[in-house]
Amino acid sequence: MNEWQKEFSETLETMVGQVEDFLTEFAHNLSEVVQTYVEVSEQVSTQLNGIFVDEVEQYITGLVSPVLEAYFGIESLVEEAAQPVFQTVDPLLKQHLGCVGCRHFHGQIYGDTLLVCGMHPYGIDEGVETCPDKEATVWKSPGFAADGRFFFGSHEDW
């Protein structure tokens, strides 16, 4: 081989080694930069996610709360309006005819025991047709004023 070919070959090998070292160092530095970027991105994402979720939750709560309050308000009005009907009908179903229309009738079952009312927890005695403590149910219409207008309010406003 000629001398100039040998030098060219050595120069080329040196240059290849330097390029290889440069690319290895570049890849290592790039890997560190990417790792740092990923860590920062995760932190920013976590913070933004927390802020976004909190704001969306507050917004949805602001929208849904009035609707739920109105719904449960109407539900309680319906329950109050239907209570005299239940107190009148339930005694018939539970075979306590003397309790029909009494405002003291409770008629709820606790465990296996029916609580008829506070005056007579197990109902009036067999053969007795009327209860001495009976008070007639006052039928009020919750949610309607005396002039027929519908309103939200307490039962004292009726």
Side-chain angles (χ1 to χ4, degrees):
M1 249 195 186
N2 293 345
E3 189 64 35
W4 69 271
Q5 288 177 334
K6 201 184 249 190
E7 283 181 26
F8 180 74
S9 176
E10 290 174 0
T11 305
L12 192 58
E13 284 180 21
T14 303
M15 194 167 66
V16 168
Q18 290 175 350
V19 168
E20 184 180 4
D21 291 343
F22 171 77
L23 290 177
T24 302
E25 186 176 336
F26 178 78
H28 179 69
N29 290 339
L30 184 64
S31 174
E32 289 178 0
V33 168
V34 168
Q35 182 65 29
T36 304
Y37 176 76
V38 168
E39 290 172 2
V40 170
S41 295
E42 287 176 353
Q43 291 173 356
V44 169
S45 173
T46 302
Q47 291 174 355
L48 288 178
N49 190 22
I51 292 170
F52 180 72
V53 167
D54 290 344
E55 288 181 11
V56 168
E57 183 179 351
Q58 289 174 355
Y59 180 73
I60 290 175
T61 300
L63 290 176
V64 173
S65 290
V67 173
L68 291 177
E69 289 173 10
Y71 171 75
F72 288 120
I74 291 172
E75 183 181 16
S76 67
L77 287 174
V78 170
E79 286 177 10
E80 288 178 31
Q83 189 170 2
V85 174
F86 292 140
Q87 287 183 339
T88 303
V89 174
D90 281 352
L92 291 174
L93 299 174
K94 297 188 175 30
Q95 303 302 318
H96 293 282
L97 299 176
C99 300
V100 173
C102 181
R103 68 179 300 188
H104 299 295
F105 181 75
H106 183 67
Q108 298 294 317
I109 297 175
Y110 298 95
D112 293 333
T113 306
L114 170 67
L115 175 61
V116 177
C117 74
M119 313 298 186
H120 305 279
Y122 301 105
I124 56 176
D125 294 331
E126 295 265 340
V128 178
E129 293 185 22
T130 59
C131 176
D133 301 309
K134 183 174 183 175
E135 291 182 31
T137 300
V138 178
W139 291 66
K140 292 184 182 178
S141 180
F144 290 95
D147 61 359
R149 289 180 297 131
F150 183 77
F151 71 94
F152 285 101
S154 66
H155 65 281
E156 287 86 17
D157 299 332
W158 300 342

